Amino acid sequence: MSAELVWAIIKNNNSFLVKRQGVQFSAEPSNLKNVNSFKYSGIANYKSVSVLPVARGVRVTTRKAKKENSPAKSVNSVVIAKTRRQTSKSVANLIARSQYRPDLRAAAVARASAILSTQQPKKVRAKKEAKGPRAQKN
């Protein structure tokens, strides 16, 4: 089935569609921007990219267009557990330099960066001691 035909069928009604206040979002895992559009849809496009969190780092999964009829062989997955800068460079190289889907490079790098930000431990700051005569009254 062509990608355009699949999109025509699923664009207004699928299990991942979230409609809120006149805006349509998509909750599918391979949708990088969570927007209900043909460009970012992982269901409609043969070549799709997903960036998901793992214990330490991110997992970049790409689908092979030629193996569409055999789902087990159609997925290529890579775990990247590096620093933020090296991770963004690796994600960009996987997607754009290999001519896979260069239009999704910026969205994939942004998603990977956001995932790495959530994995950073929160800094515990020591509470500053109150100074001055008014602070000492209590």
Side-chain angles (χ1 to χ4, degrees):
M1 223 185 311
S2 72
E4 289 80 15
L5 179 60
V6 171
W7 177 246
I9 294 169
I10 68 165
K11 71 179 177 181
N12 290 324
N13 189 15
N14 65 56
S15 63
F16 298 108
L17 191 60
V18 179
K19 296 180 181 180
R20 299 262 166 86
Q21 298 175 354
V23 183
Q24 292 185 352
F25 295 107
S26 179
E28 52 188 284
S30 56
N31 190 323
L32 292 174
K33 287 211 167 190
N34 294 337
V35 177
N36 188 35
S37 70
F38 177 71
K39 177 180 178 180
Y40 297 110
S41 176
I43 299 172
N45 290 309
Y46 297 134
K47 291 183 170 184
S48 66
V49 177
S50 67
V51 180
L52 301 170
V54 290
R56 211 182 99 234
V58 294
R59 178 186 307 276
V60 179
T61 306
T62 56
R63 252 180 26 186
K64 301 174 193 170
K66 292 183 179 179
K67 302 279 186 180
E68 180 190 12
N69 294 329
S70 56
K73 296 178 183 178
S74 70
V75 177
N76 183 21
S77 184
V78 178
V79 175
I80 303 171
K82 300 179 181 177
T83 64
R84 181 183 301 270
R85 187 171 293 191
Q86 290 172 337
T87 300
S88 64
K89 187 172 183 181
S90 296
V91 169
N93 288 342
L94 275 172
I95 295 167
R97 290 246 173 100
S98 62
Q99 298 298 317
Y100 185 73
R101 286 277 307 264
D103 58 324
L104 296 180
R105 182 186 59 80
V109 169
R111 172 65 67 102
S113 178
I115 289 171
L116 289 176
S117 294
T118 62
Q119 292 177 346
Q120 294 291 326
K122 295 286 183 189
K123 291 182 180 177
V124 179
R125 296 183 180 176
K127 195 163 186 170
K128 289 186 177 181
E129 205 173 304
K131 298 178 183 177
R134 288 186 141 188
Q136 303 302 329
K137 277 188 176 180
N138 297 335

